[in-house]
Amino acid sequence: GVLGDDQKDAVGSSGEAGDNVVCRLLRETQRRGNPMLAITDVCLCEYTDHGHCAPLVDGEADNDAALAKLGRQAVIHAEAGADWVAPSAAMDGMVAAIRRGLDDAGHHQTAIMSYAIKYAGAFYGPFRDAAASAPSTGDRKSYQMDPFRGTDEAIREAELDVAEGADVVMVKPAGPYLDVLSAMRQAVRVPTAAYQTSGEYAMHMAGGQQGWIDLDAVVMESTMAMRRAGADLVITYHAERLARMLATGS
């Protein structure tokens, strides 16, 4: 949800409002009969005035306070028409809290695609600028993953989310962590997703606009690398370009 500053507060209340921008969009796509699978991001960073993914206590993310809010946000998305919810907050226990909230509200068929392996890296800048969701103080290293850790920790995070009820698990960013994606694909028995971030997209686009690379070729090559590493699902800002290329065989 991209909101004005006047709609944000310290605890991300707008994220739980049934008439927020995400819910309105879901209802409008249903009204128009769009033939689509609706997947929504479940987080607090775009709704908090400090840009963190949880309420803060003494400047630190309050993991437990976030869980209930994420569960409620997932429910209002499901009520508005989301087929899948995709929690990206990187809070411990968020998948279990969301699964419990959805089930208690009768949304047993709403799937969860967890941002199970989400690194506190440098590839998110363009999105954070567009959504005005960069942290106003500090960073997200206390709850997102350390990019310099090995694959064992990543696999453990994915396995925990599967045990809590995740139907799909994701690696984000995708391109720099194909080794992690491959290891996760071997470790879990649910579909895997790769998220090609705004930073990856921006580098491709800048290179193409400057004539330094063949943009279409790089887009296809990077996508196939994610698929080869084990991604069943690729999330990318290049989706429209890829759809045209696949439709025309170019």
Side-chain angles (χ1 to χ4, degrees), residues 203-235:
M203 289 189 291
H204 293 166
M205 294 301 294
Q209 289 166 2
Q210 293 295 323
W212 297 331
I213 60 172
D214 179 334
L215 181 58
D216 283 352
V218 166
V219 169
M220 184 61 72
E221 187 174 334
S222 64
T223 303
M224 290 310 301
M226 290 180 276
R227 291 280 288 138
R228 187 172 59 246
D232 299 295
L233 173 68
V234 172
I235 300 173

Side-chain angles (χ1 to χ4, degrees), residues 54 127 179 219:
F127 166 79
D179 59 328
V219 169

Side-chain angles (χ1 to χ4, degrees), residues 84 95 99 109-114 161-162 165-169 189-192:
W84 294 13
V95 174
R99 184 73 270 161
Q109 299 304 314
T110 304
I112 299 174
M113 178 173 64
S114 175
D161 280 6
V162 172
D167 301 284
V168 183
V169 287
R189 293 295 177 263
V190 299
T192 56

